Amino acid sequence: MRFLVGKPGLDGHSNGAEQIAVRARDAGFEVVYQGIRLTPAQIVSAAVEEDVHVVGLSVLSGSHLQVVPAVLEGLRAAGLDDVPVVVGGIVPDADARRLKEQGVARVFTPKDFGMTDIMGQIVDVVREANDL
């Protein structure tokens, strides 16, 4: 399974995204990670080019209500509305509910620190999205 780890916005804190990318690779995912400060359009383009099965967005800047919907809209416009999106970062519960209402499959916050559990949940998301 190909997993795109995207770091949208001006947030320069890449540690969480890189930890997820390494753990995903260890768990057997083929990981696409193109660095930090990407635009939603760049993330969508990478998802199309790499034919990914899941997109993970790491947002610590507080811009999750701006950049995540932009990625979701871009994926839909590109015909990838069947590719699930998961989000990790500092996301208040009320905002997590809003993101899920907009189509985000899972939201992980600092209280979700078990990397193996996170990988299992991402596999579950891909299974659910593909009726497996």
Side-chain angles (χ1 to χ4, degrees), residues 9-40:
L10 298 177
D11 177 5
H13 299 282
S14 61
N15 190 39
E18 291 167 0
Q19 285 184 34
I20 290 293
V22 168
R23 185 65 177 127
R25 191 166 288 134
D26 289 347
F29 284 94
E30 180 182 330
V31 176
V32 177
Y33 177 65
Q34 298 179 335
I36 62 174
R37 297 189 178 105
L38 301 175
T39 67

Side-chain angles (χ1 to χ4, degrees), residues 4 8 34 38-49 67 70-71 74-75 78:
L4 172 62
Q34 298 179 335
L38 301 175
T39 67
Q42 288 171 313
I43 292 169
V44 170
S45 178
V48 170
E49 290 174 21
V67 296
V71 171
L75 290 170

Side-chain angles (χ1 to χ4, degrees), residues 7 11 13 57-65 87-93 95-96 99 107-111:
K7 192 79 177 114
D11 177 5
H13 299 282
L57 302 175
S58 173
V59 185
L60 295 173
S61 63
S63 63
H64 49 272
L65 292 179
V87 174
I90 312 271
V91 181
D93 291 339
D95 291 352
L99 292 173
V107 176
F108 301 101
T109 65
K111 68 181 177 197

